[in-house]
Amino acid sequence: DTGVSQDPRHKITKRGQNVTFRCDPISEHNRLYWYRQTLGQGPEFLTYFQNEAQLEKSRLLSDRFSAERPKGSFSTLEIQRTEQGDSAMYLCASSSPNEQYFGPGTRLTVT
Amino acid sequence: AQSVTQLGSHVSVSEGALVLLRCNYSSSVPPYLFWYVQYPNQGLQLLLKYTSAATLVKGINGFEAEFKKSETSFHLTKPSAHMSDAAEYFCAVSPKDDKIIFGKGTRLHILP
């Protein structure tokens, strides 16, 4: 399977802990996007990369959030000092011209 | 700024009946428009997309959508609903090759 993969699929953490998610895009795709989807809502854009460069960040991405794509391949999204409001599905997508391919998501539950 | 509005957070149709999910968009530039489907505990799957070619777009699983610039609409239809169509459907808009702005979604229920 050469689709977008995300790890872990599920993460339960206690408030105040740090968590890190990983996304492996389709290998030939230069662009990589992160979205967040809360219950009952559509996905919301967080940030995206063109190769290793982070080109745009949403205002939703507070200082506790950081994303990297160090070699222009996989990406990580870290949330520091998690809060209950961070509970959501975190979706990654990689992009060919005109289409984004989504991974299965990482569901984060903050207790 | 770009946005989409999906009319109806829940839609119920009988199996075999017409499916119509409504979406209106707002865009200051010619948009790309999408419909995605999400099954429980799964990621998003692209149903179809409009990229300024034909206004009637055919997608997977028998779905199609028509781009109507005068009405700023991109409604999703399927002639005959199947039980397997029960899912969450998202309309979305994007400038060319950029981040996607999603609607809030419409949950489609299929009645036996």
Side-chain angles (χ1 to χ4, degrees), chain A residues 6 8-10 21 34-39 41-44 46 77 86-92 103-109, chain B residues 38-44:
Chain A
Q6 293 187 245
R9 295 289 307 276
H10 302 274
F21 310 141
W34 285 99
Y35 294 84
R36 181 174 70 185
Q37 184 179 18
T38 53
L39 201 62
Q41 300 295 318
E44 296 174 292
L46 291 178
L77 177 68
D86 297 330
S87 295
M89 175 79 85
Y90 291 84
L91 295 165
C92 174
T106 295
R107 181 169 296 282
L108 173 66
T109 302
Chain B
Q38 188 175 39
Y39 297 99
N41 300 315
Q42 295 188 26
L44 293 164

Side-chain angles (χ1 to χ4, degrees), chain B residues 11 18 23-24 34 37-39 42 64 67-72 80-81 84 87 89 93 96 106 109 112:
Chain B
V11 170
L18 172 71
C23 172
N24 289 91
F34 309 85
V37 61
Q38 188 175 39
Y39 297 99
Q42 295 188 26
E64 63 183 34
F67 172 70
K68 292 187 177 181
K69 185 177 180 180
S70 60
E71 299 177 8
T72 61
S80 177
S84 62
Y89 291 80
V93 64
K96 180 181 177 180
T106 297
H109 305 271

Side-chain angles (χ1 to χ4, degrees), chain A residues 61-79:
Chain A
L61 213 65
S62 76
D63 291 343
R64 298 184 296 105
F65 288 70
S66 62
E68 294 182 344
R69 194 183 183 196
K71 297 182 180 179
S73 56
F74 73 91
S75 176
T76 58
L77 177 68
E78 181 183 16
I79 308 174

Side-chain angles (χ1 to χ4, degrees), chain B residues 5-6 17 20-21 23 25 47 52 56 108-109 111:
Chain B
T5 301
Q6 292 186 241
L20 171 61
L21 303 183
C23 172
Y25 71 91
L47 276 178
S52 74
L56 182 62
L108 178 63
H109 305 271
L111 307 174

Side-chain angles (χ1 to χ4, degrees), chain B residues 30-68:
Chain B
Y32 284 10
L33 293 161
F34 309 85
W35 276 98
Y36 284 86
V37 61
Q38 188 175 39
Y39 297 99
N41 300 315
Q42 295 188 26
L44 293 164
Q45 182 181 9
L46 180 67
L47 276 178
L48 50 81
K49 61 182 178 182
Y50 166 78
T51 57
S52 74
T55 57
L56 182 62
V57 182
K58 294 187 182 298
I60 62 171
N61 301 338
F63 286 93
E64 63 183 34
E66 186 172 7
F67 172 70
K68 292 187 177 181

Side-chain angles (χ1 to χ4, degrees), chain B residues 76-88:
Chain B
L76 181 71
T77 60
K78 181 175 180 177
S80 177
H82 191 273
M83 295 300 290
S84 62
D85 294 327
E88 188 92 21

Side-chain angles (χ1 to χ4, degrees), chain A residues 2-4 24-33 49-52 69 71-74 93-102:
Chain A
T2 57
V4 178
D24 286 89
I26 295 171
S27 59
E28 62 268 27
H29 288 176
N30 294 328
R31 287 201 173 192
L32 185 149
Y33 297 78
F49 294 83
Q50 174 80 30
N51 298 313
E52 66 274 11
R69 194 183 183 196
K71 297 182 180 179
S73 56
F74 73 91
S94 69
S95 174
S96 67
N98 302 331
E99 186 168 342
Q100 292 185 20
Y101 295 81
F102 283 83

